[in-house]
Amino acid sequence: MHISFFQAILIGFIYFLGINAQPWLTTVGTHMIMRPMVNGTLVGLVLGKPIEGCIIGTAINLPYLAWISAGGSVPMDPALAGTLGTALAIAGGVNASAATTLGFSVKQRW
């Protein structure tokens, strides 16, 4: 599958909404938007495969169910894993279990 420039911009905007608390969105929905299941569904919607995006996002979301940032640790980035993991999985045509590996390979914030 080919991802166009406009789709890449929209995927980047989904990640932007998932990781940043915006005053015009309030911080109420930010924690929900950063979840890989929600990001995966939105990325799947942008790429024209919302069901596949939801399935892949749910597979990536499983390891993040008990995610917290405690103490002085540098937390993982579930929004990046959900957004890029789903986009790479849909573009590459891989299944949900391989998508979890793709999501974990990009999970750390650079």
Side-chain angles (χ1 to χ4, degrees):
M1 176 181 188
H2 177 74
I3 297 178
S4 69
F5 181 73
F6 183 68
Q7 287 174 328
I9 295 293
L10 288 176
I11 290 169
F13 186 68
I14 290 170
Y15 174 66
F16 173 76
L17 290 177
I19 200 62
N20 292 323
Q22 299 300 320
W24 43 274
L25 287 176
T26 72
T27 58
V28 174
T30 307
H31 189 67
M32 182 188 72
I33 295 173
M34 73 185 298
R35 288 292 175 184
M37 186 172 66
V38 177
N39 278 339
T41 305
L42 294 175
V43 169
L45 193 66
V46 166
L47 296 178
K49 297 183 178 183
I51 302 297
E52 189 175 344
C54 183
I55 292 169
I56 291 170
T58 303
I60 295 172
N61 193 52
L62 286 175
Y64 291 102
L65 288 177
W67 173 76
I68 61 168
S69 173
S73 66
V74 177
M76 297 176 289
D77 193 355
L80 184 65
T83 306
L84 286 183
T86 304
L88 289 173
I90 290 176
V94 299
N95 59 8
S97 61
T100 305
T101 306
L102 288 172
F104 266 44
S105 65
V106 295
K107 69 180 179 179
Q108 287 296 103
R109 194 180 290 179
W110 296 320

